[in-house]
Amino acid sequence: QVHLVESGGGLVQPGGSLRLSCAVSGRIFSINVMGWYRQAPGKERELVATITTGGQANYADAVKGRFTISRDNDKNTVYLQMNSLTPEDTAAYYCNAHVSWRGPFENYWGQGTQVTVSS
């Protein structure tokens, strides 16, 4: 069993910053790609950013230059630093990780953490 626990969401004013964390625990041999996705009300879940084990990051165009993804491989944790937040960033943010134990990599999701950007 693998668990992803997110933290760091909340209410922030436009222009503010938040830092999300996601810790992966359980039966882990290796974690490949980790990432963050978000889903706003009435919209489909969309990619925010991903990062490989080696640290190569990929961002959605909407967040480039404002968000930074990072990971601590020793702690099995991925972070998302969000700066210059706008109301359009309001969504539930979900952590994602590709984890292997004794077989192929499988896809796991966190329970989500709400980010609300409002004055």
Side-chain angles (χ1 to χ4, degrees):
Q1 194 77 355
V2 174
H3 301 280
L4 280 66
V5 179
E6 299 123 332
S7 60
L11 174 64
V12 64
Q13 293 187 344
S17 298
L18 282 175
R19 188 189 193 214
L20 306 183
S21 300
C22 173
V24 184
S25 62
R27 294 185 173 182
I28 302 168
F29 176 74
S30 178
I31 302 177
N32 191 351
V33 177
M34 305 180 80
W36 291 94
Y37 292 72
R38 67 185 181 186
Q39 187 168 17
K43 295 187 177 181
E44 294 185 354
R45 189 172 296 188
E46 63 179 7
L47 167 73
V48 176
T50 60
I51 187 168
T52 66
T53 305
Q56 184 173 358
N58 176 59
Y59 297 94
D61 288 342
V63 307
K64 282 181 180 177
R66 300 187 299 121
F67 291 11
T68 302
I69 190 170
S70 62
R71 63 190 284 174
D72 185 329
N73 293 328
D74 291 335
K75 295 181 179 179
N76 294 331
T77 300
V78 63
Y79 306 95
L80 186 68
Q81 177 66 43
M82 304 185 293
N83 299 328
S84 302
L85 286 161
T86 73
E88 287 68 38
D89 295 316
T90 295
Y93 283 71
Y94 296 90
C95 175
N96 174 266
H98 296 180
V99 182
S100 71
W101 170 236
R102 292 182 176 178
F105 284 94
E106 296 184 24
N107 202 27
Y108 292 90
W109 293 93
Q111 79 287 352
T113 184
Q114 180 66 35
V115 171
T116 302
V117 184
S118 175
S119 55

